[in-house]
Amino acid sequence: MKRLVSLLFVIVLYSCSSVRVHYDYEKAVDFTSYTTYNYFSDLNTGLGELDTKRLLKSLDIVLQSKGMLFSEEPDFYINIESDLYHAVHNNTAGLGVGGTGNSVGGGISVGIPIGKTKNRREIIFNFVDYKKDVLFWEAVSIDTYRENQTPAQREMHIQTIVNKVLNKYPPKGKRK
């Protein structure tokens, strides 16, 4: 029962997390011609080894659920890159001091950041046509990165990212 409550807490926590995804693709591409995939042999995701394994496993599950097959001679390759950065504070509280007298004015204002700095992680997914060596689809995910996650939390968060990233692949009107 305790494990079930913990799992529900994690699900609620990550359902509230904001994973934003931006997409771009070549309009003229026939996405139905891409049925097999693989990863670049020199893939360097920028993630730790265990998180890379989790990410690739999640990608395999979702892509294969869309009818695609992993192949040594694929229609397209997947490249993944990531970067961590500190989010800029959007909110500040102002403190001002001013004075006037004899038509002379002056003032001092100081902005104080509210909240703590958040770590953000950007993961870029590039799908590259094998024969043409041309990028045809790209997704960029941005999410809050939490350093002290358990392996189960990391796996669930990566699954959330992959599901959201591949939710719109292939693009609407370009689906099988």
CSV table of all heavy atoms in Angstrom, one decimal, residues 18-39:
chain,number,residue,atom,x,y,z
A,18,SER,N,6.1,20.7,-15.9
A,18,SER,CA,5.8,21.3,-17.2
A,18,SER,C,7.0,20.9,-18.2
A,18,SER,O,8.1,21.4,-18.0
A,18,SER,CB,5.7,22.8,-17.1
A,18,SER,OG,6.9,23.3,-16.6
A,19,VAL,N,6.7,20.0,-19.0
A,19,VAL,CA,7.6,19.6,-20.1
A,19,VAL,C,7.0,20.3,-21.3
A,19,VAL,O,5.9,20.1,-21.8
A,19,VAL,CB,7.7,18.1,-20.4
A,19,VAL,CG1,8.5,17.8,-21.6
A,19,VAL,CG2,8.2,17.4,-19.1
A,20,ARG,N,7.8,21.3,-21.9
A,20,ARG,CA,7.4,22.0,-23.1
A,20,ARG,C,8.2,21.4,-24.2
A,20,ARG,O,9.3,21.1,-24.1
A,20,ARG,CB,7.7,23.5,-22.9
A,20,ARG,CG,6.8,24.2,-21.9
A,20,ARG,CD,7.2,25.6,-21.8
A,20,ARG,NE,8.7,25.7,-21.8
A,20,ARG,CZ,9.4,26.8,-21.5
A,20,ARG,NH1,8.8,27.9,-21.2
A,20,ARG,NH2,10.7,26.8,-21.5
A,21,VAL,N,7.5,21.3,-25.4
A,21,VAL,CA,8.1,20.7,-26.6
A,21,VAL,C,7.8,21.6,-27.7
A,21,VAL,O,6.7,22.1,-27.9
A,21,VAL,CB,7.6,19.3,-26.9
A,21,VAL,CG1,8.3,18.7,-28.1
A,21,VAL,CG2,7.9,18.4,-25.7
A,22,HIS,N,8.9,21.9,-28.5
A,22,HIS,CA,8.7,22.7,-29.7
A,22,HIS,C,9.1,21.8,-30.9
A,22,HIS,O,10.1,21.0,-30.8
A,22,HIS,CB,9.6,23.9,-29.7
A,22,HIS,CG,9.4,24.8,-28.5
A,22,HIS,ND1,8.4,25.7,-28.4
A,22,HIS,CD2,10.1,24.8,-27.3
A,22,HIS,CE1,8.5,26.2,-27.2
A,22,HIS,NE2,9.5,25.8,-26.5
A,23,TYR,N,8.3,21.8,-32.0
A,23,TYR,CA,8.6,21.0,-33.1
A,23,TYR,C,8.9,21.8,-34.4
A,23,TYR,O,8.5,22.9,-34.5
A,23,TYR,CB,7.3,20.2,-33.4
A,23,TYR,CG,6.8,19.4,-32.3
A,23,TYR,CD1,5.8,19.9,-31.4
A,23,TYR,CD2,7.2,18.1,-32.0
A,23,TYR,CE1,5.3,19.1,-30.4
A,23,TYR,CE2,6.8,17.3,-31.0
A,23,TYR,CZ,5.8,17.9,-30.1
A,23,TYR,OH,5.4,17.1,-29.1
A,24,ASP,N,9.6,21.1,-35.3
A,24,ASP,CA,9.8,21.7,-36.6
A,24,ASP,C,10.1,20.5,-37.6
A,24,ASP,O,10.6,19.5,-37.1
A,24,ASP,CB,11.0,22.6,-36.6
A,24,ASP,CG,11.1,23.5,-37.8
A,24,ASP,OD1,10.1,23.5,-38.6
A,24,ASP,OD2,12.1,24.2,-38.0
A,25,TYR,N,9.7,20.7,-38.8
A,25,TYR,CA,9.9,19.6,-39.8
A,25,TYR,C,9.8,20.1,-41.2
A,25,TYR,O,9.2,21.2,-41.4
A,25,TYR,CB,8.8,18.5,-39.6
A,25,TYR,CG,7.4,18.9,-39.8
A,25,TYR,CD1,6.8,18.8,-41.1
A,25,TYR,CD2,6.6,19.4,-38.8
A,25,TYR,CE1,5.5,19.2,-41.3
A,25,TYR,CE2,5.3,19.8,-38.9
A,25,TYR,CZ,4.7,19.7,-40.2
A,25,TYR,OH,3.5,20.1,-40.4
A,26,GLU,N,10.3,19.3,-42.1
A,26,GLU,CA,10.2,19.7,-43.5
A,26,GLU,C,8.8,19.4,-44.0
A,26,GLU,O,8.3,18.3,-43.9
A,26,GLU,CB,11.2,18.9,-44.4
A,26,GLU,CG,12.7,19.3,-44.2
A,26,GLU,CD,13.0,20.6,-44.8
A,26,GLU,OE1,12.3,21.0,-45.8
A,26,GLU,OE2,13.9,21.3,-44.4
A,27,LYS,N,8.2,20.4,-44.6
A,27,LYS,CA,6.8,20.2,-45.0
A,27,LYS,C,6.6,19.2,-46.2
A,27,LYS,O,5.6,18.5,-46.3
A,27,LYS,CB,6.2,21.6,-45.5
A,27,LYS,CG,6.0,22.5,-44.4
A,27,LYS,CD,5.2,23.8,-44.8
A,27,LYS,CE,5.7,24.3,-46.2
A,27,LYS,NZ,5.0,25.6,-46.5
A,28,ALA,N,7.6,19.1,-47.1
A,28,ALA,CA,7.5,18.3,-48.3
A,28,ALA,C,7.8,16.8,-48.0
A,28,ALA,O,7.7,16.0,-48.9
A,28,ALA,CB,8.4,18.8,-49.3
A,29,VAL,N,8.2,16.5,-46.8
A,29,VAL,CA,8.6,15.1,-46.5
A,29,VAL,C,7.4,14.2,-46.4
A,29,VAL,O,6.4,14.5,-45.8
A,29,VAL,CB,9.4,15.0,-45.2
A,29,VAL,CG1,9.6,13.6,-44.7
A,29,VAL,CG2,10.7,15.7,-45.4
A,30,ASP,N,7.5,13.0,-47.0
A,30,ASP,CA,6.5,11.9,-46.9
A,30,ASP,C,6.9,11.1,-45.7
A,30,ASP,O,7.8,10.2,-45.8
A,30,ASP,CB,6.5,11.1,-48.2
A,30,ASP,CG,5.5,9.9,-48.1
A,30,ASP,OD1,4.7,9.9,-47.2
A,30,ASP,OD2,5.6,9.0,-49.0
A,31,PHE,N,6.3,11.3,-44.6
A,31,PHE,CA,6.6,10.6,-43.3
A,31,PHE,C,6.3,9.1,-43.4
A,31,PHE,O,6.8,8.3,-42.6
A,31,PHE,CB,6.0,11.3,-42.1
A,31,PHE,CG,6.7,12.5,-41.7
A,31,PHE,CD1,6.4,13.7,-42.4
A,31,PHE,CD2,7.7,12.5,-40.8
A,31,PHE,CE1,7.1,14.9,-42.0
A,31,PHE,CE2,8.3,13.7,-40.4
A,31,PHE,CZ,8.0,14.9,-41.0
A,32,THR,N,5.4,8.7,-44.3
A,32,THR,CA,5.0,7.3,-44.4
A,32,THR,C,6.2,6.4,-44.9
A,32,THR,O,6.2,5.2,-44.8
A,32,THR,CB,3.8,7.1,-45.3
A,32,THR,OG1,4.1,7.6,-46.6
A,32,THR,CG2,2.6,7.8,-44.7
A,33,SER,N,7.2,7.1,-45.5
A,33,SER,CA,8.3,6.3,-46.1
A,33,SER,C,9.3,6.0,-45.0
A,33,SER,O,10.3,5.2,-45.2
A,33,SER,CB,9.0,7.1,-47.2
A,33,SER,OG,9.6,8.3,-46.6
A,34,TYR,N,9.2,6.5,-43.8
A,34,TYR,CA,10.1,6.2,-42.7
A,34,TYR,C,9.5,5.2,-41.8
A,34,TYR,O,8.6,5.5,-40.9
A,34,TYR,CB,10.4,7.5,-41.9
A,34,TYR,CG,11.1,8.6,-42.7
A,34,TYR,CD1,10.5,9.7,-43.1
A,34,TYR,CD2,12.4,8.4,-43.1
A,34,TYR,CE1,11.1,10.7,-43.9
A,34,TYR,CE2,13.1,9.3,-43.9
A,34,TYR,CZ,12.4,10.5,-44.3
A,34,TYR,OH,13.1,11.4,-45.0
A,35,THR,N,10.0,4.0,-41.9
A,35,THR,CA,9.4,2.9,-41.1
A,35,THR,C,10.5,2.2,-40.2
A,35,THR,O,10.1,1.4,-39.4
A,35,THR,CB,8.7,1.8,-42.0
A,35,THR,OG1,9.7,1.3,-42.9
A,35,THR,CG2,7.6,2.4,-42.8
A,36,THR,N,11.7,2.5,-40.5
A,36,THR,CA,12.8,1.9,-39.7
A,36,THR,C,13.7,3.0,-39.2
A,36,THR,O,13.9,4.0,-39.8
A,36,THR,CB,13.6,0.8,-40.5
A,36,THR,OG1,14.2,1.5,-41.6
A,36,THR,CG2,12.8,-0.3,-41.0
A,37,TYR,N,14.3,2.7,-38.0
A,37,TYR,CA,15.2,3.7,-37.4
A,37,TYR,C,16.4,3.1,-36.7
A,37,TYR,O,16.4,1.9,-36.5
A,37,TYR,CB,14.4,4.6,-36.4
A,37,TYR,CG,14.0,3.8,-35.2
A,37,TYR,CD1,14.8,3.8,-34.0
A,37,TYR,CD2,12.9,3.0,-35.1
A,37,TYR,CE1,14.5,3.1,-32.9
A,37,TYR,CE2,12.6,2.2,-34.0
A,37,TYR,CZ,13.4,2.3,-32.9
A,37,TYR,OH,13.1,1.6,-31.8
A,38,ASN,N,17.3,3.9,-36.4
A,38,ASN,CA,18.5,3.5,-35.6
A,38,ASN,C,19.0,4.8,-34.9
A,38,ASN,O,18.5,5.9,-35.3
A,38,ASN,CB,19.5,2.8,-36.4
A,38,ASN,CG,20.5,1.9,-35.5
A,38,ASN,OD1,20.7,2.3,-34.4
A,38,ASN,ND2,20.9,0.9,-36.1
A,39,TYR,N,20.0,4.7,-34.1
A,39,TYR,CA,20.6,5.8,-33.5
A,39,TYR,C,22.0,6.0,-34.1
A,39,TYR,O,22.6,5.1,-34.5
A,39,TYR,CB,20.8,5.6,-32.0
A,39,TYR,CG,19.4,5.3,-31.3
A,39,TYR,CD1,19.0,4.1,-31.1
A,39,TYR,CD2,18.6,6.4,-31.0
A,39,TYR,CE1,17.7,3.8,-30.5
A,39,TYR,CE2,17.3,6.2,-30.4
A,39,TYR,CZ,16.9,4.9,-30.2
A,39,TYR,OH,15.7,4.7,-29.7
